[in-house]
Amino acid sequence: MTLLARIAAGCAMVFALGAAPAPAAEQTPYPIRPVRIVVPFGPGGIADITVRVVAEKLTEKLGQQFIIDNQPGAGGITAARAALQGAKDGYTLALLTNGTAISVPLFKKLPFNPVKDFAPVSSLGYFEFLFVTAAGSKYHSVQDVIAFAKASPGALNLGTINVGSSQNLSAELFKSMAGVDVTIIPYKTTPDLVIAATRGDVDVMIDSYASARAMMADRKLRAIAASGPTRSAVLPDLVTVDESGVKGFEVTSWNAIFAPAGTPPEVIGVLNKAITEVVAMPDVKRKLLDLGIEARASTPEELGDRLKADIAKWTAVIEKAGIERQ
């Protein structure tokens, strides 16, 4: 090869090397700073305690603080707005619940669409409601309740918290599926409802295990059925409403982590993996079970499907009950 040819070949090689793509920049690991979880309830409730238990473990596992930001408000609107104002980078998350699914048909102008505006990450836990009577009540089963309601239309009272709550709509669903005419009495707060049930002001109370636990332990209240599809892990001897003859009846509440839509999939993957590992921890399972909650993670796809299914379910219940949209 002539000198000129060798020089030309060398120049071509240098040009080729210079034109080769530079190696991709290494992605910054997530998270590198604190993460905020916006919660649509005040401190101390079941949802708040659930997310705090999980957040503490996420802080340990991922090495950054997971901070709870309580933003209570009707329909979860205040919390949703706060979460959606954050950047779509995984550093602002939201706790959504089955109450979010109820808000879609319940509110005339909900300023967010939970299906389109949020990306599902993972569920944290599931819990059912209990059908509870006063300890001295004549009702010992759901069938006792149905028999009296059919014999005396409108005479039996079901107590729940406020209209449009999961508990209240559970009563509407029971009324519809059992084919009975009962009077549903809403109370402003859970303590008011528990007192009413203890005194016998309502024949049956529908609320969570956590709300009834103390009075059940004092033998002032007695559970006759649970609303879940299978028996509760915390009360395995308690029959379900479905087992009691109202076939297909099922109400399960859930708490779950979502991110603003557009959050990078790799970030959602990191969070889903970490949450799955956290809720499988024995101490986390134990703490939540004490509240009547079954700690259970999900894939983002499973959670998204659950949200859509619950929106459809509660839309039908609200429409059939003729509940006025707020």
Side-chain angles (χ1 to χ4, degrees), residues 129-221:
F129 295 120
L130 302 182
F131 283 56
V132 179
T133 68
S137 167
K138 64 182 179 181
Y139 304 108
H140 293 272
S141 69
V142 168
Q143 282 303 317
D144 288 345
V145 171
I146 292 173
F148 179 82
K150 288 187 174 180
S152 305
L156 188 133
N157 296 328
L158 293 182
T160 72
I161 57 171
N162 53 291
V163 173
S165 64
S166 300
Q167 295 91 322
N168 181 260
L169 293 181
S170 297
E172 293 285 2
L173 184 63
F174 174 77
K175 179 179 178 179
S176 173
M177 294 187 68
V180 292
D181 179 8
V182 297
T183 302
I184 299 172
I185 302 178
Y187 287 80
K188 287 185 177 181
T189 69
T190 295
D192 290 340
L193 172 61
V194 171
I195 290 171
T198 303
R199 293 191 309 208
D201 294 344
V202 294
D203 296 297
V204 179
M205 172 184 96
I206 301 176
D207 213 312
S208 67
Y209 167 76
S211 68
R213 176 177 56 181
M215 288 299 184
M216 287 169 59
D218 288 344
R219 300 184 183 278
K220 293 181 179 179
L221 290 177

Coordinates of all heavy atoms in Angstrom, one line a residue, residues 129-221:
F129 N -66.5 -5.2 55.0 CA -67.3 -4.6 56.0 C -68.0 -5.7 56.8 O -68.2 -6.8 56.2 CB -68.3 -3.6 55.4 CG -67.7 -2.4 54.8 CD1 -67.9 -2.2 53.5 CD2 -66.9 -1.6 55.5 CE1 -67.3 -1.1 52.9 CE2 -66.3 -0.5 55.0 CZ -66.5 -0.2 53.6
L130 N -68.3 -5.4 58.0 CA -69.1 -6.4 58.8 C -70.5 -5.9 59.0 O -70.8 -4.7 59.0 CB -68.4 -6.5 60.2 CG -67.0 -6.9 60.3 CD1 -66.6 -7.0 61.8 CD2 -66.7 -8.2 59.6
F131 N -71.4 -6.9 59.0 CA -72.8 -6.7 59.4 C -72.9 -7.0 60.9 O -72.6 -8.1 61.3 CB -73.7 -7.6 58.6 CG -74.0 -7.1 57.2 CD1 -72.9 -7.0 56.3 CD2 -75.3 -6.9 56.7 CE1 -73.1 -6.6 55.0 CE2 -75.5 -6.5 55.4 CZ -74.4 -6.3 54.6
V132 N -73.2 -6.0 61.7 CA -73.1 -6.0 63.2 C -74.4 -5.7 63.8 O -75.1 -4.7 63.4 CB -71.9 -5.1 63.6 CG1 -71.8 -5.2 65.2 CG2 -70.6 -5.5 63.0
T133 N -74.7 -6.4 64.9 CA -75.9 -6.1 65.7 C -75.5 -5.8 67.1 O -74.4 -6.2 67.6 CB -76.9 -7.2 65.6 OG1 -76.4 -8.3 66.3 CG2 -77.2 -7.6 64.2
A134 N -76.4 -5.3 67.9 CA -76.2 -5.2 69.4 C -76.1 -6.6 69.9 O -76.7 -7.6 69.4 CB -77.4 -4.4 70.0
A135 N -75.4 -6.8 71.0 CA -75.1 -8.1 71.6 C -76.4 -8.8 71.9 O -76.6 -10.0 71.8 CB -74.3 -8.0 72.8
G136 N -77.4 -8.1 72.4 CA -78.7 -8.7 72.8 C -79.7 -8.8 71.7 O -80.9 -9.1 71.9
S137 N -79.3 -8.5 70.4 CA -80.3 -8.4 69.3 C -80.9 -9.8 69.0 O -80.3 -10.8 69.2 CB -79.6 -7.9 68.1 OG -80.3 -8.1 66.9
K138 N -82.1 -9.8 68.5 CA -82.7 -11.0 68.1 C -82.2 -11.6 66.7 O -82.5 -12.7 66.3 CB -84.2 -10.9 68.0 CG -84.7 -9.9 66.9 CD -86.2 -9.7 66.9 CE -86.6 -8.7 65.8 NZ -88.1 -8.5 65.9
Y139 N -81.4 -10.7 66.0 CA -80.8 -11.1 64.7 C -79.5 -11.8 64.9 O -78.5 -11.2 65.4 CB -80.7 -9.9 63.8 CG -81.9 -9.1 63.7 CD1 -82.1 -7.9 64.3 CD2 -83.0 -9.6 62.9 CE1 -83.2 -7.1 64.2 CE2 -84.2 -8.9 62.8 CZ -84.3 -7.6 63.4 OH -85.4 -6.9 63.3
H140 N -79.5 -13.1 64.6 CA -78.3 -13.9 64.7 C -77.6 -14.3 63.4 O -76.6 -14.9 63.4 CB -78.5 -15.2 65.6 CG -78.9 -14.9 67.0 ND1 -78.0 -14.7 68.0 CD2 -80.1 -14.6 67.6 CE1 -78.6 -14.5 69.1 NE2 -79.9 -14.4 68.9
S141 N -78.3 -13.9 62.3 CA -77.8 -14.3 61.0 C -78.4 -13.3 60.0 O -79.4 -12.6 60.3 CB -78.2 -15.7 60.6 OG -79.6 -15.8 60.4
V142 N -77.9 -13.3 58.8 CA -78.4 -12.5 57.7 C -79.8 -13.0 57.3 O -80.7 -12.2 57.0 CB -77.5 -12.5 56.5 CG1 -78.1 -11.9 55.2 CG2 -76.2 -11.8 56.8
Q143 N -80.0 -14.3 57.4 CA -81.3 -14.8 57.1 C -82.4 -14.3 58.1 O -83.5 -14.1 57.7 CB -81.3 -16.4 57.1 CG -80.7 -17.0 55.8 CD -81.4 -16.5 54.6 OE1 -82.7 -16.4 54.6 NE2 -80.7 -16.2 53.6
D144 N -82.0 -14.1 59.4 CA -82.9 -13.6 60.4 C -83.3 -12.1 59.9 O -84.5 -11.7 60.0 CB -82.3 -13.5 61.8 CG -82.1 -14.9 62.4 OD1 -82.8 -15.8 61.9 OD2 -81.4 -14.9 63.4
V145 N -82.3 -11.4 59.5 CA -82.5 -10.0 59.0 C -83.5 -10.0 57.8 O -84.5 -9.2 57.8 CB -81.2 -9.4 58.7 CG1 -81.4 -8.0 58.0 CG2 -80.3 -9.2 59.9
I146 N -83.2 -10.9 56.8 CA -84.0 -10.9 55.6 C -85.5 -11.4 56.0 O -86.4 -10.8 55.5 CB -83.4 -11.9 54.6 CG1 -82.1 -11.3 54.1 CG2 -84.4 -12.1 53.4 CD1 -81.3 -12.2 53.2
A147 N -85.6 -12.4 56.8 CA -86.9 -12.8 57.2 C -87.8 -11.7 57.8 O -89.0 -11.6 57.5 CB -86.8 -14.0 58.1
F148 N -87.2 -11.0 58.8 CA -88.0 -9.9 59.4 C -88.3 -8.8 58.4 O -89.4 -8.3 58.4 CB -87.2 -9.3 60.6 CG -87.9 -8.2 61.3 CD1 -88.8 -8.5 62.2 CD2 -87.6 -6.9 61.0 CE1 -89.5 -7.4 62.9 CE2 -88.3 -5.8 61.6 CZ -89.2 -6.1 62.5
A149 N -87.3 -8.5 57.5 CA -87.5 -7.4 56.6 C -88.6 -7.7 55.6 O -89.4 -6.8 55.2 CB -86.2 -7.1 55.8
K150 N -88.7 -9.0 55.2 CA -89.8 -9.4 54.3 C -91.2 -9.5 55.0 O -92.2 -9.2 54.4 CB -89.4 -10.7 53.7 CG -88.3 -10.6 52.7 CD -88.1 -11.9 51.9 CE -87.0 -11.7 50.8 NZ -86.8 -12.9 50.0
A151 N -91.1 -9.8 56.3 CA -92.4 -9.9 57.0 C -92.9 -8.5 57.4 O -94.1 -8.3 57.5 CB -92.2 -10.7 58.3
S152 N -92.0 -7.5 57.6 CA -92.3 -6.2 58.0 C -91.6 -5.1 57.1 O -90.6 -4.6 57.6 CB -92.0 -6.0 59.5 OG -92.6 -7.0 60.3
P153 N -92.0 -4.9 55.9 CA -91.3 -4.0 55.0 C -91.1 -2.6 55.6 O -92.1 -2.0 56.2 CB -92.3 -4.0 53.8 CG -93.1 -5.3 53.8 CD -93.2 -5.5 55.3
G154 N -89.9 -2.1 55.5 CA -89.6 -0.8 56.0 C -89.3 -0.7 57.4 O -88.9 0.4 57.9
A155 N -89.6 -1.8 58.2 CA -89.4 -1.7 59.7 C -88.0 -1.9 60.1 O -87.6 -1.4 61.2 CB -90.3 -2.7 60.3
L156 N -87.2 -2.6 59.4 CA -85.8 -2.8 59.8 C -84.9 -1.7 59.4 O -84.9 -1.3 58.2 CB -85.3 -4.2 59.2 CG -84.0 -4.7 59.7 CD1 -84.1 -6.1 60.1 CD2 -82.9 -4.4 58.7
N157 N -84.0 -1.3 60.3 CA -83.1 -0.2 60.0 C -81.7 -0.7 59.8 O -81.2 -1.5 60.7 CB -83.1 0.8 61.2 CG -84.4 1.5 61.4 OD1 -85.1 1.7 60.4 ND2 -84.8 1.8 62.6
L158 N -81.0 -0.3 58.8 CA -79.6 -0.5 58.6 C -78.9 0.8 58.8 O -79.2 1.8 58.1 CB -79.3 -1.0 57.1 CG -79.9 -2.4 56.7 CD1 -79.5 -2.7 55.3 CD2 -79.4 -3.5 57.6
G159 N -77.9 0.8 59.7 CA -77.1 2.0 60.0 C -75.8 2.0 59.2 O -75.1 1.0 59.2
T160 N -75.4 3.2 58.6 CA -74.2 3.3 58.0 C -73.7 4.7 58.3 O -74.4 5.5 58.9 CB -74.3 3.2 56.4 OG1 -75.0 4.3 55.9 CG2 -75.1 1.9 56.1
I161 N -72.5 5.0 57.8 CA -72.1 6.4 57.8 C -72.6 7.1 56.6 O -73.5 6.6 55.9 CB -70.5 6.6 57.9 CG1 -69.8 5.9 56.7 CG2 -70.0 6.1 59.2 CD1 -68.3 6.2 56.7
N162 N -72.2 8.3 56.2 CA -72.9 9.2 55.3 C -73.2 8.7 54.0 O -72.6 7.7 53.5 CB -72.0 10.5 55.1 CG -70.6 10.1 54.7 OD1 -69.8 9.6 55.5 ND2 -70.2 10.4 53.5
V163 N -74.3 9.2 53.4 CA -74.8 8.8 52.1 C -73.6 8.9 51.0 O -72.9 9.9 51.0 CB -75.9 9.7 51.6 CG1 -76.3 9.4 50.2 CG2 -77.1 9.5 52.6
G164 N -73.5 7.9 50.2 CA -72.5 7.8 49.2 C -71.2 7.2 49.7 O -70.3 7.0 48.9
S165 N -71.1 6.9 51.0 CA -69.9 6.2 51.5 C -69.9 4.7 51.0 O -71.0 4.2 50.6 CB -69.8 6.3 53.0 OG -70.9 5.5 53.5
S166 N -68.8 4.1 51.1 CA -68.7 2.6 50.7 C -69.7 1.8 51.6 O -70.4 0.9 51.1 CB -67.3 2.1 50.9 OG -66.4 2.8 50.1
Q167 N -69.8 2.2 52.9 CA -70.7 1.5 53.8 C -72.1 1.7 53.4 O -72.9 0.8 53.4 CB -70.4 2.0 55.2 CG -69.1 1.6 55.8 CD -68.0 2.7 55.6 OE1 -68.0 3.3 54.5 NE2 -67.2 2.9 56.5
N168 N -72.5 3.0 53.1 CA -73.8 3.3 52.7 C -74.3 2.6 51.4 O -75.4 2.0 51.3 CB -74.0 4.8 52.6 CG -75.3 5.3 52.2 OD1 -75.6 5.5 51.1 ND2 -76.2 5.3 53.2
L169 N -73.4 2.6 50.5 CA -73.7 1.9 49.2 C -73.7 0.4 49.4 O -74.4 -0.3 48.7 CB -72.7 2.3 48.1 CG -72.8 3.8 47.7 CD1 -71.7 4.1 46.6 CD2 -74.2 4.1 47.3
S170 N -73.0 -0.1 50.4 CA -73.1 -1.6 50.7 C -74.5 -1.9 51.2 O -75.0 -3.0 50.8 CB -72.0 -2.0 51.8 OG -70.7 -1.8 51.3
A171 N -75.0 -1.0 51.9 CA -76.4 -1.2 52.4 C -77.4 -1.2 51.2 O -78.3 -2.0 51.2 CB -76.8 -0.2 53.5
E172 N -77.2 -0.2 50.3 CA -78.0 -0.2 49.1 C -77.9 -1.4 48.3 O -78.9 -1.9 47.8 CB -77.7 1.1 48.3 CG -78.0 2.4 49.0 CD -79.5 2.8 49.0 OE1 -80.3 2.0 48.5 OE2 -79.8 3.9 49.5
L173 N -76.7 -1.9 48.1 CA -76.5 -3.1 47.4 C -77.2 -4.3 48.0 O -77.8 -5.2 47.3 CB -75.0 -3.4 47.2 CG -74.6 -4.6 46.3 CD1 -75.0 -4.4 44.9 CD2 -73.1 -4.8 46.4
F174 N -77.1 -4.4 49.4 CA -77.7 -5.5 50.1 C -79.2 -5.4 49.9 O -79.9 -6.4 49.7 CB -77.3 -5.4 51.6 CG -78.1 -6.4 52.4 CD1 -77.7 -7.8 52.4 CD2 -79.2 -6.0 53.2 CE1 -78.4 -8.7 53.2 CE2 -79.9 -7.0 54.0 CZ -79.5 -8.3 54.0
K175 N -79.8 -4.2 50.1 CA -81.2 -4.0 49.9 C -81.7 -4.5 48.5 O -82.7 -5.2 48.4 CB -81.5 -2.5 50.1 CG -83.0 -2.1 49.9 CD -83.1 -0.6 50.2 CE -84.6 -0.2 50.0 NZ -84.7 1.3 50.2
S176 N -80.9 -4.2 47.5 CA -81.3 -4.6 46.2 C -81.1 -6.1 45.9 O -82.0 -6.7 45.4 CB -80.4 -3.8 45.2 OG -80.6 -4.2 43.9
M177 N -80.0 -6.6 46.3 CA -79.7 -8.0 46.0 C -80.5 -9.0 46.9 O -80.9 -10.1 46.4 CB -78.2 -8.3 46.2 CG -77.4 -7.6 45.1 SD -75.6 -8.1 45.2 CE -75.7 -9.8 44.6
A178 N -80.8 -8.6 48.1 CA -81.7 -9.4 49.0 C -83.1 -9.3 48.7 O -84.0 -10.1 49.2 CB -81.4 -9.1 50.4
G179 N -83.5 -8.3 47.9 CA -84.9 -8.0 47.6 C -85.7 -7.7 48.8 O -86.9 -8.2 48.9
V180 N -85.2 -6.8 49.7 CA -85.9 -6.4 50.9 C -86.1 -4.9 50.9 O -85.4 -4.1 50.4 CB -85.2 -6.9 52.2 CG1 -85.2 -8.4 52.2 CG2 -83.8 -6.4 52.2
D181 N -87.2 -4.5 51.6 CA -87.5 -3.1 51.9 C -87.0 -2.8 53.3 O -87.7 -3.2 54.3 CB -89.0 -2.9 51.7 CG -89.3 -1.4 52.0 OD1 -88.4 -0.6 52.1 OD2 -90.6 -1.1 52.0
V182 N -85.9 -2.1 53.4 CA -85.3 -1.7 54.7 C -85.1 -0.2 54.7 O -85.0 0.4 53.6 CB -84.0 -2.5 55.0 CG1 -84.3 -4.0 55.1 CG2 -82.9 -2.2 54.0
T183 N -85.0 0.3 55.8 CA -84.7 1.8 56.0 C -83.2 2.0 56.3 O -82.7 1.4 57.3 CB -85.5 2.4 57.1 OG1 -86.9 2.2 56.8 CG2 -85.2 3.9 57.2
I184 N -82.5 2.7 55.4 CA -81.1 2.9 55.6 C -80.9 4.3 56.3 O -81.3 5.3 55.8 CB -80.3 2.9 54.3 CG1 -80.5 1.5 53.6 CG2 -78.8 3.2 54.5 CD1 -80.0 1.4 52.2
I185 N -80.2 4.3 57.4 CA -80.1 5.5 58.2 C -78.6 5.9 58.2 O -77.7 5.2 58.8 CB -80.5 5.3 59.7 CG1 -82.0 4.9 59.7 CG2 -80.3 6.5 60.5 CD1 -82.6 4.6 61.1
P186 N -78.2 7.0 57.6 CA -76.9 7.5 57.6 C -76.5 8.3 58.8 O -77.3 9.2 59.3 CB -76.8 8.3 56.3 CG -78.2 8.8 56.2 CD -79.1 7.8 56.8
Y187 N -75.3 8.1 59.4 CA -74.8 8.9 60.5 C -73.6 9.7 60.0 O -72.9 9.3 59.1 CB -74.4 8.0 61.7 CG -75.6 7.4 62.4 CD1 -76.3 6.3 61.9 CD2 -76.1 8.0 63.6 CE1 -77.5 5.8 62.6 CE2 -77.2 7.5 64.3 CZ -77.9 6.4 63.7 OH -79.0 5.9 64.4
K188 N -73.4 10.8 60.7 CA -72.3 11.7 60.3 C -70.9 11.1 60.5 O -70.0 11.2 59.7 CB -72.4 13.0 61.0 CG -73.5 13.9 60.5 CD -73.5 15.3 61.2 CE -74.6 16.2 60.6 NZ -74.5 17.5 61.3
T189 N -70.8 10.4 61.6 CA -69.4 9.8 62.0 C -69.6 8.3 62.4 O -70.6 7.9 62.8 CB -68.8 10.6 63.1 OG1 -69.5 10.3 64.3 CG2 -68.7 12.1 62.8
T190 N -68.4 7.6 62.3 CA -68.4 6.2 62.8 C -68.7 6.1 64.2 O -69.5 5.2 64.6 CB -67.1 5.6 62.4 OG1 -66.9 5.6 61.0 CG2 -67.0 4.2 63.0
P191 N -68.2 7.0 65.1 CA -68.5 6.8 66.6 C -70.0 7.0 66.8 O -70.6 6.3 67.6 CB -67.7 8.0 67.2 CG -66.5 8.1 66.3 CD -67.0 7.9 64.9
D192 N -70.7 7.9 66.1 CA -72.1 8.1 66.2 C -72.8 6.8 65.9 O -73.8 6.4 66.5 CB -72.6 9.2 65.4 CG -72.2 10.6 65.9 OD1 -71.8 10.7 67.0 OD2 -72.2 11.5 65.0
L193 N -72.4 6.2 64.7 CA -73.0 4.9 64.3 C -72.8 3.8 65.3 O -73.7 3.0 65.6 CB -72.4 4.5 62.9 CG -72.8 3.2 62.3 CD1 -74.3 3.1 62.1 CD2 -72.0 2.9 61.0
V194 N -71.6 3.7 65.8 CA -71.3 2.6 66.8 C -72.2 2.7 68.0 O -72.7 1.8 68.5 CB -69.8 2.6 67.1 CG1 -69.6 1.6 68.3 CG2 -69.0 2.2 65.9
I195 N -72.3 4.0 68.5 CA -73.2 4.2 69.7 C -74.6 3.8 69.4 O -75.3 3.2 70.2 CB -73.1 5.7 70.1 CG1 -71.7 6.0 70.7 CG2 -74.2 6.0 71.2 CD1 -71.5 7.5 71.0
A196 N -75.1 4.2 68.2 CA -76.5 3.9 67.8 C -76.7 2.3 67.7 O -77.7 1.8 68.2 CB -76.8 4.5 66.4
A197 N -75.7 1.6 67.2 CA -75.8 0.2 67.1 C -75.8 -0.5 68.5 O -76.5 -1.4 68.8 CB -74.7 -0.4 66.3
T198 N -74.9 0.1 69.4 CA -74.8 -0.5 70.7 C -76.2 -0.3 71.5 O -76.6 -1.2 72.2 CB -73.7 0.2 71.5 OG1 -72.5 0.1 70.8 CG2 -73.5 -0.4 72.9
R199 N -76.8 0.8 71.3 CA -78.1 1.1 72.0 C -79.3 0.4 71.3 O -80.4 0.5 71.8 CB -78.3 2.6 72.0 CG -77.3 3.4 72.8 CD -77.7 4.8 73.1 NE -78.1 5.5 71.8 CZ -77.9 6.8 71.7 NH1 -77.4 7.6 72.6 NH2 -78.3 7.4 70.5
G200 N -79.1 -0.1 70.1 CA -80.2 -0.7 69.4 C -81.0 0.3 68.6 O -82.1 0.0 68.2
D201 N -80.5 1.5 68.4 CA -81.2 2.5 67.6 C -81.3 2.1 66.1 O -82.2 2.5 65.4 CB -80.5 3.8 67.7 CG -80.6 4.4 69.1 OD1 -81.4 4.0 69.9 OD2 -79.8 5.4 69.4
V202 N -80.3 1.3 65.7 CA -80.4 0.6 64.4 C -80.3 -0.9 64.6 O -79.7 -1.4 65.6 CB -79.2 1.1 63.4 CG1 -79.4 2.6 63.1 CG2 -77.9 0.8 64.0
D203 N -81.0 -1.6 63.7 CA -81.0 -3.1 63.9 C -79.7 -3.7 63.5 O -79.2 -4.7 64.1 CB -82.1 -3.7 63.1 CG -83.5 -3.2 63.5 OD1 -83.8 -3.5 64.7 OD2 -84.2 -2.5 62.8
V204 N -79.1 -3.2 62.4 CA -77.8 -3.7 61.9 C -76.9 -2.5 61.5 O -77.4 -1.6 60.9 CB -78.0 -4.6 60.7 CG1 -76.7 -5.1 60.1 CG2 -78.9 -5.8 61.0
M205 N -75.7 -2.6 61.9 CA -74.7 -1.6 61.5 C -73.8 -2.2 60.4 O -73.4 -3.4 60.5 CB -73.8 -1.2 62.7 CG -72.7 -0.3 62.4 SD -71.6 0.1 63.8 CE -70.4 -1.2 63.7
I206 N -73.4 -1.5 59.4 CA -72.5 -1.9 58.4 C -71.2 -1.0 58.4 O -71.3 0.2 58.1 CB -73.1 -1.9 57.0 CG1 -74.3 -2.8 56.9 CG2 -72.0 -2.4 55.9 CD1 -75.0 -2.8 55.6
D207 N -70.1 -1.6 58.9 CA -68.9 -0.8 58.9 C -67.7 -1.7 59.0 O -67.9 -3.0 59.0 CB -68.9 0.2 60.1 CG -68.2 1.5 59.8 OD1 -67.0 1.4 59.3 OD2 -68.7 2.6 60.0
S208 N -66.5 -1.2 59.1 CA -65.3 -2.0 59.1 C -65.1 -2.7 60.5 O -65.6 -2.3 61.5 CB -64.1 -1.1 58.8 OG -63.9 -0.2 59.9
Y209 N -64.2 -3.7 60.4 CA -63.8 -4.4 61.6 C -63.2 -3.4 62.6 O -63.4 -3.5 63.8 CB -62.8 -5.5 61.3 CG -62.1 -6.1 62.4 CD1 -62.8 -7.0 63.3 CD2 -60.8 -5.8 62.7 CE1 -62.1 -7.6 64.4 CE2 -60.1 -6.4 63.8 CZ -60.8 -7.2 64.6 OH -60.1 -7.8 65.7
A210 N -62.3 -2.5 62.1 CA -61.6 -1.6 63.0 C -62.6 -0.8 63.8 O -62.4 -0.5 65.0 CB -60.7 -0.7 62.3
S211 N -63.7 -0.4 63.2 CA -64.7 0.5 63.9 C -65.5 -0.3 65.0 O -65.9 0.3 66.0 CB -65.7 1.1 62.9 OG -66.5 0.1 62.3
A212 N -65.7 -1.6 64.8 CA -66.5 -2.4 65.7 C -65.7 -3.2 66.7 O -66.2 -3.7 67.6 CB -67.4 -3.3 64.9
R213 N -64.4 -3.3 66.4 CA -63.5 -4.2 67.2 C -63.6 -4.0 68.7 O -63.8 -5.0 69.5 CB -62.1 -4.0 66.8 CG -61.1 -4.9 67.5 CD -59.7 -4.7 67.0 NE -59.3 -3.3 67.0 CZ -58.1 -2.9 66.5 NH1 -57.2 -3.7 66.0 NH2 -57.8 -1.6 66.6
A214 N -63.5 -2.8 69.2 CA -63.5 -2.6 70.7 C -64.8 -3.0 71.3 O -64.9 -3.7 72.3 CB -63.3 -1.1 70.9
M215 N -66.0 -2.6 70.7 CA -67.3 -3.0 71.2 C -67.6 -4.5 71.1 O -68.3 -5.1 71.9 CB -68.4 -2.2 70.5 CG -68.4 -0.7 70.9 SD -68.7 -0.5 72.7 CE -68.7 1.3 72.8
M216 N -67.0 -5.1 70.1 CA -67.1 -6.6 69.9 C -66.3 -7.3 71.0 O -66.8 -8.2 71.6 CB -66.7 -7.0 68.5 CG -67.6 -6.7 67.4 SD -66.9 -6.9 65.8 CE -66.6 -8.7 65.8
A217 N -65.2 -6.7 71.3 CA -64.3 -7.3 72.4 C -65.0 -7.2 73.7 O -64.9 -8.0 74.6 CB -63.0 -6.6 72.4
D218 N -65.8 -6.1 73.9 CA -66.5 -5.8 75.2 C -67.8 -6.5 75.2 O -68.6 -6.4 76.1 CB -66.7 -4.3 75.4 CG -65.4 -3.6 75.8 OD1 -64.4 -4.3 76.2 OD2 -65.4 -2.4 75.7
R219 N -68.1 -7.3 74.1 CA -69.4 -8.1 74.0 C -70.6 -7.2 74.0 O -71.7 -7.5 74.5 CB -69.5 -9.1 75.1 CG -68.4 -10.2 75.1 CD -68.5 -11.2 76.1 NE -67.4 -12.2 76.1 CZ -67.3 -13.2 75.3 NH1 -68.2 -13.4 74.3 NH2 -66.2 -14.0 75.4
K220 N -70.4 -6.0 73.4 CA -71.6 -5.1 73.3 C -72.1 -5.1 71.9 O -73.3 -4.7 71.6 CB -71.2 -3.6 73.7 CG -70.8 -3.5 75.2 CD -70.5 -2.1 75.5 CE -70.2 -2.0 77.0 NZ -69.8 -0.6 77.4
L221 N -71.3 -5.5 70.9 CA -71.7 -5.7 69.6 C -71.4 -7.1 69.1 O -70.4 -7.8 69.6 CB -71.0 -4.7 68.6 CG -71.4 -3.2 68.8 CD1 -70.6 -2.4 67.8 CD2 -72.9 -3.1 68.5

